[in-house]
């Protein structure tokens, strides 16, 4: 046979064999199962190191981790994703062969999906001395809160005053002409504060406070028609477009948006780092906020279960958790803790008027539909 | 008798040596092709299974992907405009750089080349600080960010949304790709026999500038310019970080995929993400494959062009640079350095707000935090040592692999296997056409299925680094093979030197320089770290310098010290990269062509 033909045959054989046999659809399909809780899970092989799946939480410094290692003798390694959504995606992708033992960072808009898909296993840490607000959404054995805060609208007081605009008293005000192009929202498809605010709007319009009418979809469609800027994440909204936050001092600031989605205590964080100065404040309309709780939990198929429990205990201990306002710009979940008074952190942090209508069950059943409705509502082209 | 015996031995050994060599080459090519294609194919099969779409359905379904058509339009437009701007800015610089005797030309080349290996996030920060509100451009009325003044007027008159963002993006792409133009055009021009130009000017076809352009310059440097432009198109097409930061209201196909990427490939969950990735990645792959094929054709034409003279002789003939040449090169260097300088300055500045007014204070705290790792889980020192370890490991694998692939392509050409050599040449560029995200997904899914423990292996990031750097090694080494004089090898054989010594004296000695260039490029690319996005799994203990920069930049910057800390880490990365390029320039042979 001609040597050229031989060579071509060899490479064809090489590629097709590598692709067909081992990569057949049957082989891939065996990874999946109709019931998410019945698929076989390969327990991670123990290597003596506690692997933690998380996003970039500022407070997890070298020093803090060294403190844990000193106390317990357990070595820690982090696997990082960009945000809470990334943690869930990673857990879903690696469900049959988990890469980490512990997750830190799923919030209450993602946790129901994780529970529904059997991605978590029971921990053994006590939840005594935890705030009632942190335990309201979920108090089961699969996850434990480690920080909390209210997601709500923030607005630029100075910009509103300069433009002679009045502070909204209803979400429908944002569909009026004076707000055209002056608000920005992180997408609930890719951002957890965005998702939390979507849940808040579901509650807001479902309960029609005062003389409100309409539903969540029609409101989102109206704000989209009114020039709302949608971004992929909180950072893009808050830093690039929002005029009231630290973004105005950053490279890349575009501005133009007097209102965005952030936390009710974000003005407090602004003030804390700016010698008690901020011109951002939160808009605490009834039912237009969502109480976000961030959780930690042991991943189903974890190898280092004892170490994972030790880390949960460490993270939720009063010594470490009391510093959450510093570590992660969020409230601690421990009783008898509060935001620091320094530089007006506590003073500028507003209390939201939050309802508890959005439950774990409701999110579990409806989040996909809400996201789809949102996506259809904001498609205006 | 001895001669006859010797001849007999030779006759017996020669085919077996050649067979061993061929088998080895085949093995290397197979390893490379499988390493490149397997994760990609695996990811496609997975997406096919999750979406239930066939190949054709995925392609035809592109229209239904949310934001897909806009992203495709924007990607094509920005990539085309970026490559045009690269030619407009890069050609005069390459022209003047190549036609005069410059003092410290290596330093000049290194300055102009560093942008190409600069991590995109560092480049984005540099450009953002250039176009900020109190920046030079805004002060002269060109506000590319808020789009006020001239740009605002233009936006209003033309009805074009965000022309300022677009201009900033294509300028950053041109900055990034500037060295492509210089590396492709300069070697041809700097060694072109001046007699050609002089003789042509006396002929009827060369009397005017236009006729000389038509009859001399376009045929001589045209293929090189087109080659640089097509590569510039390719890199702008796959741009992600620069788009995210400089044109936040627009999407390229790559940035569209990056947003949905992490939730793709999961059965029964966020199927729309899998559909988006499947459809967009496939279309992007086909477009990039076409671009690479065109580039390979152009590069072939470019490397076959002319017989050229010694660069030093030609430069001497043209003499020292004119004022215009000095001005153009000065502007080029300024254009290159400005984003770097602004990153450096930002590393020493922190905002301070007193009574509601902001001022920027000079401070070393950013540097101190960067070293101690106070604002991240890793200090710059540790991250740098990780970066260097990965870069060295990448070098150890990518350089020999790319070298062998280049020599195989050359051997195939020499043996008359022209089509095979072209195919292999194209295959070597495949990693540049495959979406990083798809490889990440494929590696993750494949790894989880067959060998989950591989994710504990700290050298795992070397894999995507190798895939990404091999095409560049091939592109540097292949022209070097083309310029080899076979006479030296024949002479070694006549002297009856051993095969190893024949290779050493006849080949290695002439490829040493290009190999050092390829090695430095490999190190620089690896340091620039494209691997983070390639791997969906990123372990904190493996963080490299560019991951630390990215990590700090992505964090809420309420704390005023986060930004200078990120900029300090970025400055360290820039300095390291620059030092490597300076080293590469010392070894670059005067007639080394392309070589990026």
């Amino acid at each position: 046979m001609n040597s050229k033909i031989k060579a071509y045959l060899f490479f064809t054989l090489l590629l097709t064999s590598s692709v067909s046999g081992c990569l057949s659809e049957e082989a891939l399909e065996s990874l999946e199962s109709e019931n998410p809780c019945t698929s076989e899970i390969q327990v991670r092989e123990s290597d003596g190191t506690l692997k933690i799946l998380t996003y970039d939480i500022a407070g997890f410094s070298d020093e803090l981790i060294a403190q844990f290692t000193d106390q317990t003798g357990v070595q820690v390694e982090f696997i990082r994703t960009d945000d809470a959504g990334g943690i869930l995606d990673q857990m879903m992708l690696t469900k049959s062969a988990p890469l980490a033992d512990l997750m830190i960072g799923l919030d209450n808009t993602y946790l129901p999906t994780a529970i529904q898909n059997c991605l978590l296993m029971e921990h053994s840490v006590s939840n005594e001395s935890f705030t009632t607000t942190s335990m309201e959404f979920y108090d089961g054995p699969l996850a434990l809160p480690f920080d909390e805060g209210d997601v709500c609208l923030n607005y630029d007081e100075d910009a509103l005053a300069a433009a002679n605009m009045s502070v909204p008293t209803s979400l429908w005000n944002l569909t009026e002409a004076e707000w055209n192009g002056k608000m920005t929202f992180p997408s609930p498809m890719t951002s957890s504060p965005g998702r939390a605010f979507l849940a808040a709007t579901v509650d807001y319009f479902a309960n029609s406070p005062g003389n409100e009418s309409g539903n969540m979809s029609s409101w989102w469609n109206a704000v989209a028609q009114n020039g709302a800027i949608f971004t992929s994440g909180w950072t893009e909204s808050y830093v690039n477009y929002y005029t009231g936050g630290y973004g105005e001092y950053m490279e890349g600031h575009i501005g133009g948006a007097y209102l965005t989605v952030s936390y009710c205590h974000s003005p407090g964080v602004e003030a804390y780092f700016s010698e008690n100065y901020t011109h951002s404040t939160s808009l605490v309309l009834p039912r237009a906020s969502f109480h976000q709780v961030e959780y930690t939990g042991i991943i189903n198929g974890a190898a280092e279960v004892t170490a994972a429990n030790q880390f949960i205990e460490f993270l939720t201990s009063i010594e470490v958790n009391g510093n959450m306002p510093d570590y992660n710009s969020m409230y601690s979940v421990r009783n008898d803790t509060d935001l620091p008074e320094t530089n007006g952190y506590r003073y500028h942090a507003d209390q939201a008027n939050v309802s508890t209508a959005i439950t774990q069950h409701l999110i579990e059943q409806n989040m996909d539909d809400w996201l789809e409705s949102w996506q259809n509502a904001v498609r205006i082209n | 008798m001895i001669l006859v015996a010797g001849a007999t031995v030779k006759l017996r050994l020669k085919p077996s040596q050649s067979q061993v060599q061929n088998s080895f080459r085949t093995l290397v090519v197979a390893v490379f092709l499988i390493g490149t294609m397997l994760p990609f194919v695996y990811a496609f099969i997975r997406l096919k299974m999750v979406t239930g779409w066939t190949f054709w359905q995925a392609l035809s379904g592109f229209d239904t992907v949310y934001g897909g058509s806009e992203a495709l339009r924007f990607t094509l437009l920005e990539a085309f405009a970026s490559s045009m701007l690269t030619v407009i800015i890069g050609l005069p610089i390459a022209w003047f750089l190549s036609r005069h005797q410059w003092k410290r030309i290596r330093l000049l080349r290194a300055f102009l080349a560093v942008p190409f290996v600069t991590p995109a996030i560092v480049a984005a920060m540099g450009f953002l600080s250039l176009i900020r509100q109190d920046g030079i451009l805004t002060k002269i009325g060109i506000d590319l960010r808020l789009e006020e003044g001239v740009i605002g007027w233009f936006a209003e008159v033309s009805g074009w949304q965000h022309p300022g963002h677009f201009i900033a993006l294509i300028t950053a792409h041109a900055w990034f790709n500037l060295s492509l133009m210089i590396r492709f055009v300069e070697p041809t021009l700097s060694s072109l026999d001046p007699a050609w130009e002089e003789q042509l000017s006396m002929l009827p076809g060369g009397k005017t500038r236009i006729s000389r352009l038509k009859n001399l310059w376009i045929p001589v440097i045209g293929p090189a310019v087109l080659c640089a432009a097509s590569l510039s198109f390719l890199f702008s097409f796959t741009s992600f970080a620069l788009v995210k930061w400089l044109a936040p209201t627009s999407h390229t196909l790559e940035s569209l995929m990056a947003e949905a990427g992490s939730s793709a490939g999961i059965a029964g969950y966020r199927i729309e993400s899998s559909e988006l990735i499947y459809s967009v990645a496939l279309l992007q792959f086909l477009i990039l494959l076409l671009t690479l094929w065109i580039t390979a054709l152009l590069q072939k034409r470019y490397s076959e062009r002319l017989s050229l003279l010694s660069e030093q002789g030609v430069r001497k003939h043209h003499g020292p640079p004119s004022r215009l040449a000095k001005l153009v090169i000065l502007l080029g260097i300024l254009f290159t350095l400005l984003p770097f300088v602004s990153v450096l300055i930002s590393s020493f500045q922190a905002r301070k707000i007193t009574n509601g007014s902001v001022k920027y204070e000079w401070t070393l705290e950013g540097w101190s935090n960067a070293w101690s790792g106070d604002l991240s889980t890793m200090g710059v020192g540790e991250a740098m040592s990780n970066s260097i370890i990965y870069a060295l490991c990448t070098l150890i694998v990518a350089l020999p692999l790319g070298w062998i692939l280049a020599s195989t392509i050359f051997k195939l050409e020499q043996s008359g296997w022209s089509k095979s050599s072209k195919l292999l040449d194209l295959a070597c560029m495949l990693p540049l056409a495959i979406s990083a995200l798809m490889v990440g997904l494929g590696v993750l899914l494949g790894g989880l299925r067959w060998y989950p423990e591989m994710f504990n292996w700290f050298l795992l990031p070397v894999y995507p680094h190798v895939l990404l750097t091999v095409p560049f090694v091939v592109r540097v080494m292949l022209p070097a093979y083309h310029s080899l004089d076979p006479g030296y090898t024949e002479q070694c054989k006549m002297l009856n030197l051993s095969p190893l010594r024949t290779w050493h004296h006849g080949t290695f000695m002439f490829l040493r320089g290009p190999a050092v260039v390829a090695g430095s490029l490999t190190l620089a690319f690896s340091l620039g770290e494209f691997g983070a996005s390639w791997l969906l799994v990123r372990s904190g203990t493996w963080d490299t310098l560019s991951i630390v920069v990215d990590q700090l930049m992505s964090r809420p910057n309420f704390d005023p010290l986060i930004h200078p800390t990120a900029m300090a880490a970025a400055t360290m990365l820039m300095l390291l990269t620059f030092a490597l390029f300076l080293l590469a320039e010392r070894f670059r042979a005067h007639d080394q062509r392309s070589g990026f």
Side-chain angles (χ1 to χ4, degrees):
Chain A
M1 199 191 287
N2 183 316
S3 56
K4 283 188 187 183
I5 297 170
K6 271 189 198 169
Y8 288 129
L9 277 176
F10 172 74
F11 282 112
T12 313
L13 192 71
L14 203 67
L15 280 172
T16 49
S17 64
S18 60
V19 166
S20 59
C22 354
L23 296 175
S24 66
E25 285 192 24
E26 288 77 7
L28 285 164
E29 273 162 5
S30 70
L31 278 171
E32 313 303 335
S33 163
E34 283 297 309
N35 182 343
C37 292
T38 55
S39 58
E40 203 174 300
I41 293 169
Q42 191 179 331
V43 176
R44 194 176 82 76
E45 202 171 295
S46 173
D47 54 5
T49 302
L50 173 67
K51 300 218 167 172
I52 300 176
L53 179 65
T54 185
Y55 59 83
D56 287 322
I57 294 174
F60 290 165
S61 63
D62 255 354
E63 202 183 333
L64 189 77
I65 303 310
Q67 194 187 329
F68 173 73
T69 305
D70 285 347
Q71 281 176 19
T72 60
V74 175
Q75 293 295 322
V76 174
E77 202 174 294
F78 287 100
I79 295 174
R80 293 207 174 82
T81 65
D82 291 336
D83 49 26
I87 296 175
L88 179 66
D89 294 341
Q90 191 71 246
M91 287 167 71
M92 292 287 281
L93 260 176
T94 60
K95 183 180 165 186
S96 54
L99 297 176
D101 306 296
L102 183 70
M103 74 77 195
I104 301 176
L106 281 187
D107 74 1
N108 41 350
T109 65
Y110 288 102
L111 185 73
T113 315
I115 293 173
Q116 198 176 20
N117 284 279
C118 300
L119 301 176
L120 295 166
M121 60 190 279
E122 288 188 17
H123 64 80
S124 61
V125 180
S126 156
N127 60 13
E128 273 175 38
S129 308
F130 276 54
T131 59
T132 324
T133 47
S134 70
M135 299 305 294
E136 241 160 15
F137 186 84
Y138 177 76
D139 61 358
L142 297 174
L144 203 59
F146 73 93
D147 68 19
E148 59 184 328
D150 297 319
V151 171
C152 66
L153 292 170
N154 283 202
Y155 67 93
D156 180 348
E157 287 177 304
D158 288 1
L160 256 64
N164 206 17
M165 289 166 70
S166 45
V167 177
T169 51
S170 145
L171 287 184
W172 283 109
N173 289 151
L174 300 177
T175 64
E176 290 162 8
E178 67 172 355
W179 280 97
N180 186 280
K182 292 190 176 67
M183 60 208 145
T184 177
F185 299 96
S187 161
M189 305 298 290
T190 44
S191 148
S192 56
R195 216 169 145 107
F197 185 66
L198 174 71
T201 59
V202 170
D203 183 29
Y204 183 88
F205 290 105
N207 291 285
S208 303
N211 58 354
E212 305 286 348
S213 60
N215 60 38
M216 177 268 273
S217 292
S218 54
W219 181 79
W220 279 107
N221 180 261
V223 289
Q225 299 279 2
N226 203 25
I229 304 160
F230 295 102
T231 66
S232 59
W234 174 89
T235 309
E236 288 80 5
S237 277
Y238 198 85
V239 179
N240 287 351
Y241 295 105
Y242 181 49
T243 53
Y246 71 86
E248 65 177 319
Y249 313 118
M250 299 292 289
E251 275 106 6
H253 181 65
I254 297 169
Y258 301 163
L259 177 138
T260 191
V261 170
S262 192
Y263 292 88
C264 294
H265 63 275
S266 294
V269 186
E270 289 281 359
Y272 181 66
F273 286 107
S274 307
E275 298 192 352
N276 201 3
Y277 170 77
T278 178
H279 54 98
S280 180
T281 191
S282 49
L283 184 65
V284 282
L285 297 175
R287 289 183 180 266
S289 309
F290 181 84
H291 187 70
Q292 188 187 47
V293 182
E294 291 194 292
Y295 296 89
T296 177
I298 304 175
I299 296 171
N300 210 354
E304 311 296 339
V305 177
T306 313
N309 275 308
Q310 282 175 312
F311 199 89
I312 296 176
E313 206 158 345
F314 174 75
L315 182 65
T316 54
S317 67
I318 186 75
E319 295 78 19
V320 175
N321 204 265
N323 289 319
M324 272 302 145
D326 263 343
Y327 289 158
N328 209 25
S329 300
M330 292 288 275
Y331 285 88
S332 163
V333 290
R334 297 294 304 237
N335 282 328
D336 304 324
T337 58
D338 203 347
L339 298 178
E341 294 288 350
T342 324
N343 281 343
Y345 198 146
R346 178 75 197 81
Y347 175 77
H348 291 278
D350 290 314
Q351 288 295 314
N353 187 342
V354 178
S355 84
T356 51
I358 303 291
T359 60
Q360 184 198 344
H361 179 72
L362 213 56
I363 287 181
E364 206 171 274
Q365 297 299 312
N366 299 297
M367 185 49 91
D368 284 349
D369 293 339
W370 294 342
L371 288 171
E372 202 184 325
S373 302
W374 178 85
Q375 209 168 26
N376 291 330
V378 300
R379 280 185 198 190
I380 53 170
N381 293 327
Chain B
M1 281 300 284
I2 294 166
L3 268 175
V4 171
T8 312
V9 170
K10 254 190 175 175
L11 277 173
R12 275 183 193 163
L13 279 178
K14 208 173 174 182
S16 77
Q17 266 178 5
S18 154
Q19 272 174 355
V20 170
Q21 273 185 10
N22 287 343
S23 307
F24 182 64
R25 282 179 201 282
T26 310
L27 182 72
V28 170
V29 171
V31 166
F32 175 75
L33 285 180
I34 290 177
T36 306
M37 291 303 292
L38 201 61
F40 183 61
V41 173
Y42 196 101
F44 265 124
I45 292 176
R46 175 72 170 210
L47 290 171
K48 184 175 175 289
M49 187 203 82
V50 172
T51 59
W53 280 2
T54 63
F55 178 91
W56 295 113
Q57 278 174 318
L59 267 184
S60 57
F62 180 79
D63 268 356
T64 62
V65 168
Y66 182 50
S69 302
E70 292 86 16
L72 177 64
R73 264 198 301 275
F74 182 76
T75 311
L76 287 169
L77 182 68
E78 64 82 14
F80 181 73
S82 299
S83 51
M84 288 298 103
L85 192 63
T86 307
V87 174
I88 292 166
I89 296 175
L91 195 54
I93 297 173
W95 175 274
F96 286 114
L97 192 69
S98 57
R99 287 176 62 86
H100 297 284
Q101 262 186 314
W102 293 93
K103 288 176 185 169
R104 298 189 180 87
I105 191 159
R106 284 173 178 161
L107 189 68
L108 293 179
R109 280 189 190 131
F111 277 135
L112 293 165
V114 172
F116 192 59
V117 288
T118 302
I121 186 152
V122 176
M125 290 307 121
F127 270 90
L128 282 179
S129 60
L130 280 181
I131 60 175
R132 68 184 181 193
Q133 284 310 288
D134 55 348
I136 309 161
L137 282 175
T138 312
K139 278 180 183 156
I140 58 168
I142 303 169
D143 188 343
L144 295 176
R145 198 66 183 171
L146 300 192
E147 300 178 309
E148 287 166 354
V150 184
I151 303 291
W153 170 82
F154 178 69
E156 209 171 296
V157 170
S158 64
W160 184 4
Q161 283 194 328
H162 305 301
H165 298 179
F166 186 79
I167 294 168
L169 177 69
I170 63 168
T171 309
H173 282 160
W175 177 85
F176 221 79
N177 295 320
L178 186 66
S179 70
L180 287 172
M181 190 56 65
I182 293 160
R183 294 283 172 163
F184 275 95
V185 175
E186 193 215 342
T188 310
L189 277 178
S190 64
S191 28
L192 185 75
D193 190 345
W196 285 31
E197 203 180 334
E198 286 160 11
Q199 284 163 10
L200 188 74
S201 63
M202 284 189 262
L203 296 170
K207 288 280 183 199
T208 63
R209 281 189 175 183
I210 292 176
S211 60
R212 281 199 296 276
L213 185 73
K214 190 180 155 193
N215 296 319
L216 178 68
W217 298 122
I218 290 180
V220 167
I221 58 170
V225 171
L226 284 174
C227 199
S230 63
L231 275 173
S232 175
F233 178 90
L234 182 117
F235 292 120
S236 308
F237 195 94
T238 51
S239 177
F240 162 57
L242 286 172
V243 179
K244 181 184 161 190
W245 290 95
L246 297 177
T249 49
S250 307
H251 270 306
T252 54
L253 293 179
E254 190 75 32
S255 68
L256 191 69
M257 283 196 287
E259 266 187 17
S262 66
S263 53
I266 307 167
Y269 172 75
R270 305 279 303 273
I271 301 298
E272 77 283 354
S273 298
S274 295
E275 288 174 352
L276 185 147
I277 301 290
Y278 190 17
S279 187
V280 175
L282 200 59
L283 185 74
Q284 174 163 309
F285 176 70
L286 294 176
I287 294 173
L288 292 180
L289 205 62
L290 183 71
T291 310
L292 286 172
W293 179 64
I294 293 169
T295 308
L297 286 182
L298 289 170
Q299 203 173 17
K300 181 95 178 143
R301 275 179 66 192
Y302 155 66
S303 62
E304 280 170 356
R305 263 293 129 196
L306 309 156
S307 70
L308 305 161
L309 292 183
S310 143
E311 183 185 316
Q312 278 172 335
V314 176
R315 284 187 186 279
K316 202 172 174 184
H317 178 86
H318 290 301
S322 61
R323 276 189 186 172
L324 179 65
K326 281 182 183 167
L327 182 69
V328 169
I329 298 300
L330 180 71
L331 288 175
I333 298 284
L334 275 177
F335 176 60
T336 308
L337 290 185
L338 271 176
F340 291 136
V341 172
S342 74
V343 168
L344 176 70
I345 293 172
S346 298
S347 73
F348 294 109
Q349 285 187 323
R351 70 172 189 269
K352 175 134 177 97
I353 296 171
T354 317
N355 300 324
S357 63
V358 64
K359 59 179 182 177
Y360 290 89
E361 285 187 340
W362 293 99
T363 175
L364 286 170
E365 274 188 90
W367 282 85
S368 137
N369 282 340
W371 277 107
S372 62
D374 272 0
L375 292 172
S376 62
T377 49
M378 191 169 282
V380 159
E382 201 182 338
M384 195 193 285
S385 64
N386 277 350
S387 291
I388 292 171
I389 289 170
Y390 288 133
L392 287 173
C393 292
T394 306
L395 176 74
I396 290 167
V397 182
L399 184 61
L401 186 61
W403 191 331
I404 293 166
L405 287 169
S407 87
T408 307
I409 297 168
F410 180 67
K411 264 266 192 278
L412 287 169
E413 281 172 10
Q414 299 296 302
S415 318
W417 290 41
S418 169
K419 277 184 188 165
S420 310
S421 76
K422 279 179 195 158
L423 265 178
L424 184 57
D425 198 350
L426 188 63
C428 288
M429 299 283 271
L430 273 180
L432 302 181
I434 295 173
S435 163
L437 206 124
M438 291 294 283
V439 175
L441 186 64
V443 168
L444 180 64
L445 295 172
L448 285 173
R449 176 149 181 78
W450 292 306
Y451 189 50
E453 287 75 29
M454 80 183 216
F455 294 106
N456 297 334
W457 194 38
F458 86 104
L459 285 177
L460 184 63
V462 172
Y463 173 57
H465 286 211
V466 167
L467 285 189
L468 258 174
T469 50
V470 161
F472 294 97
V473 176
V474 173
R475 294 267 71 79
V476 174
M477 298 305 290
L478 195 56
Y481 266 103
H482 286 140
S483 62
L484 269 184
D485 185 349
Y488 290 104
T489 302
E490 280 162 24
Q491 282 170 23
C492 291
K493 282 179 182 166
M494 278 173 62
L495 292 169
N496 211 18
L497 297 182
S498 68
L500 188 66
R501 291 188 69 194
T502 301
W503 178 77
H504 181 259
H505 292 290
T507 307
F508 178 74
M509 295 303 284
F510 300 97
L511 296 181
R512 222 173 27 172
V516 174
V517 174
S520 309
L521 256 174
T522 305
L523 288 173
F525 267 112
S526 180
L527 286 175
E529 169 63 338
F530 293 78
S533 56
W534 277 61
L535 287 176
L536 294 176
V537 176
R538 154 163 99 74
S539 169
T541 48
W542 306 342
D543 285 353
T544 59
L545 209 43
S546 54
I547 288 180
V548 168
V549 178
D550 188 53
Q551 196 188 89
L552 287 164
M553 286 311 303
S554 311
R555 182 171 297 166
N557 275 214
F558 287 108
D559 185 345
L561 286 174
I562 293 178
H563 189 68
T565 306
M567 293 301 103
T571 305
M572 285 307 301
L573 187 57
M574 274 164 14
L575 291 175
L576 205 60
T577 313
F578 182 71
L580 275 168
F581 249 81
L582 215 52
L583 179 77
E585 280 303 321
R586 289 188 67 82
F587 286 90
R588 193 163 78 101
H590 69 85
D591 58 345
Q592 172 69 40
R593 314 188 88 196
S594 81
F596 293 99

